[in-house]
Every structure is written in structure tokens, then in C-alpha cells.
């Protein structure tokens, strides 16, 4: 007898789970940095326009593919067209690659959260703390393991008892924490060693007021490509996740509304992350503080900002890292689910078995990633010029190469092979209107693939002038 597929019990559960996947480290450590670098409000406007067009197209497509086929990424594409199995294979390899290094970073976040929780925030702000931690041989592995265990536990419990119920608790708390920290950030002021007093509100202005100074066409193009790359990563598309989550959505659910809500949630948190981070960094470090992004912003610059806040800094740091931990857990569980559901559908095995297999793969590869800063240390130069260790190499291959390829393949499959009507009909199946239909067809057939090819060429280092 065929077992019935699990499904989210309601649309709220689905929206929160998908938003949980979308809201992740990218929203927190990259969006604010790009906004500060790319002319504040100018970046925000470009990002918003892209979210409503390009992001909406990719997100709708993947969720609809999942719901229509009721299959995981590995098997969904071949169900649409039998010659397109290879696309499913790459879409499934992406989360397999991402999972180990996402858990390694999740472990770093856990370490910082524990440091602040136990009142050791000032130590975490000292020079060399972060490097000392990641280059030690045992601690990062233990932290990674704890993070992975928490995520695997949720996935073992399944779609309803695991993913849906944890998202319903975590996401509202996460939003609350973001709002609290953002409001706090707007109220601070500080007089630096240079005698200049800066306030959070001034920092907020730098963030939201568009800066057109010295803007050239080439410069605008680079803002556009930055915003596109960020959006693409932020919505968790092209990594099989939204196909997997889409396959658990009931046929009578209103997809248009859910897709809008996921986009609003993700964009709002990204925007609020900027309200949290930019005014605080600006107040305590000036705009130079915003030159860092990624791990160095989160694990080096921000602890210094918290330390400069004095006593309250430890509490703010603790709330901040709790929030980041929540964001990372909900993203990691979506990555793991994409792989687990693929193994279940392809090999007809139980959830427990599939989760054990993926858990072991992530564990072994995760240890290798952690040791990449220690026993297995080496340096290579990537085509985009960055000096990389194992983690960066995996990140580069998945985000910069495989993900654009999956997205381009999806656009060609839907736009030209099976035709956009398949997605439109799926969205409209439950009687809801596909709002931006006029936009969807040209977008999926022509505009999105062109934008994605530009993104791929840029991230592969083939075009370097943007
Ligand atoms: N979308 C998440 C973000 O913006 C990142 C993510 C990465 C989610 C990998 C799932 C998997 O940070």
C-alpha cells in the first residue's frame, strides 16, 4: 500500500516554515552590509523591485513544482519531464553540500550565544577570540555536533511534529527579538575618542536615505547584481528546499497569498536586520565599521559593538545571538529536509533511515569543514579572487556555481519545455488568482534566465567588470 504523503496542517505552518528557511544568516550578515555599501536606500529600492519580480517568479515556480508533483527535489523534475532528472540530481546535491558547512557555522553561533549567556561577552570581543576558537581542534567540532543534533532531532520528528511545530514557536520569537534589538539600536548614542557624538538615528538615516553620490551606470549595475545575488540566496531557491516544502502543501491552500507572505517576512527581517546592525555599528565605529560582512561582521565587529555598550551589551549580545541561532536552526532544518525527503522518495526508505544517512554524511563532512581551520588547513584562490578554506570552497561551489545552474535549468524547463501554464494552473488550482501572471511568463522565459546567466558569469569570475 502506498503511504500518504505528509502535509503541513495549515498554511500558517507552511508560511512560517518557509520563512524560517528564507530568514537565515544571509539576512543578518550580508543584507545590511550590502545596503551600507550600495548606497543605502538605493539598494533597498532595487532589492524590493527585484523581490516583487525576479524573487516572486523563482519562489512561485519552485513551490508550485513541489505541490504539483508531490515529490522531493531529486524526483520532482523528472516527474515533470522524464529527461530532466539530472536537474533534480544537482538540486539535491546543493543541500548535501550546504548542510555540513551550515552546521559548522551554526556551531560558531552556538558558541557565541553560550559565551554571552554565561556573561563572557567582553572576552568574545577581544582580538583573536574568533580565530582562536575556530582554529582550535575540538571545540568547533563539539559545537557543530550539538547544532546538528538539534536540527536532526526536529527532522526525525517529521513534517508536522518537527518542522511545522518548531517553526510556529521559533519564528514569532525571532521576529520579536529582531524588533526589540532594532528599536534599542535606534535609541543609542555614543561619543567616540574623536569627541564626535553619533546616534543610532543618524545611522538609520545613512541606511534608508538613498545615496546617489558618484553613481555611474556601471555602479548601478553592480548594485543590481549584488541585490539579485542576495535575493536569490535569501529566498532559499535553487537548493531544492522550496520544492520539498511545496510538496507538503495541501491542494486547497492559497499559494499566491502564502508566497506573498513568505516574501514579506523574509524582506522585513532583512530590512530590520539592517535597522539592528547599521545604527549600532555606525554609533560605535562610524561607517568604517560596516566594511565587514559575513563571519567577520558577526563574530568580530558586532562583539566589539556590544562590548562598547557597557553592561547592557552582554544582554543585547545574548538576545542577538539567540536570534541568530533561531534563524540558523530553521534554515538548517530546511536544508536537511530537502535531502531527507529526496532520499525517502528516491529510495523508498523511512524518514528515520533517510535522516540517519544524511545525519552521518553531514557529520563526517562537517568535521572535515571544522578541521579545515586546523589539521586540514590550506589556502586556495577562488576564481572570484577570494582566498578560501574548505568551508569557503563548498560555499562557492554550491552558491556561485550549482545554484545559478539549477535556477537557469528550472527556468528553461518551465518556460520552454513544459510551459509556464503548468505553474500558473497549479497556483490557480485552489481557486485563487495568480496575481502577477502578466509578469510571470516573460520573467520565467526570458528575463530571469538572462539575469541568472549574468549572475553565474559574474560569480564564476568570467565577467569581472560588475
Ligand atoms: N536563505 C537563507 C539566508 O538568507 C540561507 C540559507 C542557506 C537557507 C542555505 C537554507 C540553506 O540566510
Amino acid at each position: 500500500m502506498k503511504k500518504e504523503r505528509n502535509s503541513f496542517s495549515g498554511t500558517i505552518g507552511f508560511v512560517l516554515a518557509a520563512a524560517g528557511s528564507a530568514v537565515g544568516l544571509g539576512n543578518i550578515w550580508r543584507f545590511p552590509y550590502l545596503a551600507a555599501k550600495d548606497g543605502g536606500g538605493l539598494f533597498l529600492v532595487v532589492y524590493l523591485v527585484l523581490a516583487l519580480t525576479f524573487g516572486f517568479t523563482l519562489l512561485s515556480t519552485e513551490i508550485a513544482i513541489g505541490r504539483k508533483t508531490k515529490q522531493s527535489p531529486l524526483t520532482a523534475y523528472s516527474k515533470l519531464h522524464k529527461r530532466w532528472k539530472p536537474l533534480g540530481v544537482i538540486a539535491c546535491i546543493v543541500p548535501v553540500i550546504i548542510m555540513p558547512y551550515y552546521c559548522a557555522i551554526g556551531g560558531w553561533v552556538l558558541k557565541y550565544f553560550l559565551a554571552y549567556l554565561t556573561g563572557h561577552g567582553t572576552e568574545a570581543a577581544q582580538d583573536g577570540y574568533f580565530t582562536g576558537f575556530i582554529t582550535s581542534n575540538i571545540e568547533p567540532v563539539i559545537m557543530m555536533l550539538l547544532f546538528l543534533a538539534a536540527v536532526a532531532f526536529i527532522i526525525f520528528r517529521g513534517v508536522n511534529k518537527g518542522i511545522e511545530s518548531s517553526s510556529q514557536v521559533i519564528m514569532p520569537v525571532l521576529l520579536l527579538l529582531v524588533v526589540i534589538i532594532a528599536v534599542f539600536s535606534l535609541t543609542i548614542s555614543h561619543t567616540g575618542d574623536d569627541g564626535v557624538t553619533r546616534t543610532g538615528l543618524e545611522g538609520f538615516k545613512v541606511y534608508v536615505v538613498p545615496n546617489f553620490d558618484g553613481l555611474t551606470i556601471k555602479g548601478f549595475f553592480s548594485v543590481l547584481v549584488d541585490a539579485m545575488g542576495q535575493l536569490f540566496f535569501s529566498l532559499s531557491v535553487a537548493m531544492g528546499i522550496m520544492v520539498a516544502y511545496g510538496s507538503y502543501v495541501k491542494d486547497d491552500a492559497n499559494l499566491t497569498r502564502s508566497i506573498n507572505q513568505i516574501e514579506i517576512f523574509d524582506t522585513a527581517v532583512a530590512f530590520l536586520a539592517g535597522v539592528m546592525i547599521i545604527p549600532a555599528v555606525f554609533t560605535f565605529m562610524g561607517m568604517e565599521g560596516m566594511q565587514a560582512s559575513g563571519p567577520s561582521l558577526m563574530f568580530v565587529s558586532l562583539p566589539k559593538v556590544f562590548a562598547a555598550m557597557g553592561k547592557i551589551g552582554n544582554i543585547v549580545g545574548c538576545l542577538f545571538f539567540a536570534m541568530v541561532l533561531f534563524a540558523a536552526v530553521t534554515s538548517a532544518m530546511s536544508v536537511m529536509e530537502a535531502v531527507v525527503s529526496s532520499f525517502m522518495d528516491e529510495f523508498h526508505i523511512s524518514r528515520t533511515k533517510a535522516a540517519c544517512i544524511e545525519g552521518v554524511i553531514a557529520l563526517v563532512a562537517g568535521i572535515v569543514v571544522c578541521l579545515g581551520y586546523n589539521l586540514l588547513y590550506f589556502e586556495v584562490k577562488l576564481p572570484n579572487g577570494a582566498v578560501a578554506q574548505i568551508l569557503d570552497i563548498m560555499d562557492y561551489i554550491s552558491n556561485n556555481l550549482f545554484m545559478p545552474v539549477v535556477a537557469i535549468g528550472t527556468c528553461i524547463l518551465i518556460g520552454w519545455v513544459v510551459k509556464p501554464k503548468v505553474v500558473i494552473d497549479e497556483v490557480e488550482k485552489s481557486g485563487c488568482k495568480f496575481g502577477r501572471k502578466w509578469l510571470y511568463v516573460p520573467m520565467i522565459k526570458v528575463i530571469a534566465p538572462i539575469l541568472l546567466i549574468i549572475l553565474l558569469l559574474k560569480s564564476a569570475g568570467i565577467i569581472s567588470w560588475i
Side-chain angles (χ1 to χ4, degrees):
M1 197 181 77
K2 210 163 166 277
K3 244 183 95 204
E4 214 191 299
R5 195 175 186 79
N6 269 317
S7 60
F8 288 115
S9 59
T11 40
I12 298 192
F14 163 59
V15 169
L16 290 178
S21 172
V23 172
L25 295 166
N27 299 55
I28 302 160
W29 75 22
R30 206 164 140 75
F31 185 91
Y33 156 79
L34 287 177
K37 171 169 98 65
D38 285 338
L42 174 64
F43 176 84
L44 298 182
V45 172
V46 172
Y47 186 90
L48 209 63
V49 171
L50 281 173
L52 294 171
T53 53
F54 175 71
F56 152 82
T57 302
L58 298 180
L59 191 60
S60 311
T61 304
E62 291 203 1
I63 293 177
I65 291 178
R67 190 172 78 165
K68 182 176 172 60
T69 59
K70 299 275 183 291
Q71 291 291 311
S72 62
L74 184 55
T75 45
Y77 296 91
S78 53
K79 190 152 184 194
L80 283 179
H81 192 288
K82 56 179 183 322
R83 307 237 328 247
W84 283 70
K85 175 95 189 182
L87 184 58
V89 175
I90 314 177
C92 175
I93 292 177
V94 175
V96 173
I97 301 179
I98 293 180
M99 186 66 190
Y101 78 79
Y102 212 81
C103 287
I105 302 174
W108 302 350
V109 178
L110 179 61
K111 160 81 183 169
Y112 274 68
F113 169 65
L114 294 175
Y116 279 88
L117 189 69
T118 52
H120 293 88
T122 24
E123 275 163 50
Q126 265 148 30
D127 285 336
Y129 182 87
F130 179 59
T131 324
F133 163 63
I134 61 166
T135 53
S136 59
N137 48 20
I138 296 291
E139 220 190 343
V141 174
I142 296 176
M143 292 295 160
M144 184 270 297
L145 210 120
L146 292 173
F147 182 87
L148 172 60
V151 174
F153 176 74
I154 296 172
I155 297 303
F156 268 117
R157 290 179 57 87
V159 177
N160 299 112
K161 287 201 201 124
I163 300 173
E164 189 172 1
S165 45
S166 59
S167 305
Q168 276 172 333
V169 177
I170 293 179
M171 294 314 286
V173 178
L174 182 144
L175 194 59
L176 187 71
L177 285 175
V178 174
V179 172
I180 293 175
I181 304 170
V183 170
F184 174 76
S185 187
L186 291 176
T187 60
I188 49 184
S189 74
H190 177 72
T191 309
D193 296 339
D194 50 4
V196 182
T197 302
R198 296 193 191 83
T199 65
L201 273 180
E202 285 164 6
F204 181 68
K205 272 195 209 136
V206 176
Y207 177 38
V208 292
V209 176
N211 178 0
F212 297 106
D213 280 358
L215 186 68
T216 57
I217 298 206
K218 192 173 142 192
F220 180 75
F221 220 72
S222 108
V223 174
L224 189 76
V225 174
D226 276 352
M228 196 161 70
Q230 172 62 19
L231 177 69
F232 183 58
F233 183 71
S234 193
L235 285 177
S236 295
V237 286
M239 27 182 134
I241 292 172
M242 291 301 169
V243 176
Y245 277 9
S247 74
Y248 303 134
V249 178
K250 287 196 180 129
D251 282 338
D252 57 2
N254 183 330
L255 279 194
T256 311
R257 197 183 321 135
S258 307
I259 290 163
N260 287 341
Q261 287 168 344
I262 298 166
E263 277 205 284
I264 293 171
F265 205 120
D266 184 47
T267 310
V269 173
F271 176 75
L272 287 171
V275 184
M276 239 169 21
I277 292 172
I278 298 180
V281 171
F282 174 82
T283 306
F284 290 99
M285 299 179 150
M287 248 1 243
E288 304 82 69
M290 278 313 299
Q291 315 246 313
S293 73
S296 68
L297 171 67
M298 188 174 297
F299 300 113
V300 181
S301 307
L302 287 179
K304 289 200 162 60
V305 170
F306 297 140
M309 289 176 180
K311 272 219 168 79
I312 196 170
N314 207 82
I315 300 172
V316 181
C318 188
L319 295 179
F320 176 80
F321 282 107
M323 181 277 294
V324 182
L325 196 57
F326 285 157
V329 166
T330 46
S331 291
M333 76 201 196
S334 70
V335 185
M336 185 160 180
E337 180 62 23
V339 183
V340 168
S341 65
S342 292
F343 288 175
M344 286 166 70
D345 289 345
E346 175 76 35
F347 306 116
H348 304 286
I349 52 177
S350 68
R351 168 168 292 274
T352 315
K353 214 172 187 176
C356 282
I357 298 173
E358 165 58 3
V360 171
I361 299 175
L363 176 68
V364 174
I367 294 177
V368 173
V369 170
C370 292
L371 295 181
Y373 295 98
N374 181 282
L375 280 181
L376 305 175
Y377 188 86
F378 62 85
E379 282 181 5
V380 286
K381 211 163 175 197
L382 295 176
N384 63 5
V387 179
Q389 278 82 56
I390 298 176
L391 189 151
D392 310 285
I393 298 173
M394 291 169 76
D395 181 57
Y396 180 78
I397 295 175
S398 56
N399 294 330
N400 294 2
L401 305 179
F402 283 11
M403 280 171 56
V405 168
V406 171
I408 294 168
T410 309
C411 290
I412 297 174
L413 173 63
I414 298 297
W416 300 93
V417 182
V418 301
K419 301 286 153 56
K421 194 169 174 315
V422 170
V423 166
I424 295 172
D425 287 350
E426 180 58 34
V427 173
E428 291 187 334
K429 188 162 78 181
S430 55
C432 66
K433 237 179 113 224
F434 192 124
R436 278 159 271 172
K437 206 190 299 183
W438 55 272
L439 180 78
Y440 181 76
V441 179
M443 218 46 216
I444 191 88
K445 283 180 113 121
V446 186
I447 307 172
I450 292 178
L451 292 176
L452 288 161
I453 289 172
I454 296 175
L455 195 68
L456 176 63
L457 293 178
K458 181 179 177 217
S459 44
I462 296 171
I463 44 174
S464 53
W465 54 271
I466 327 176

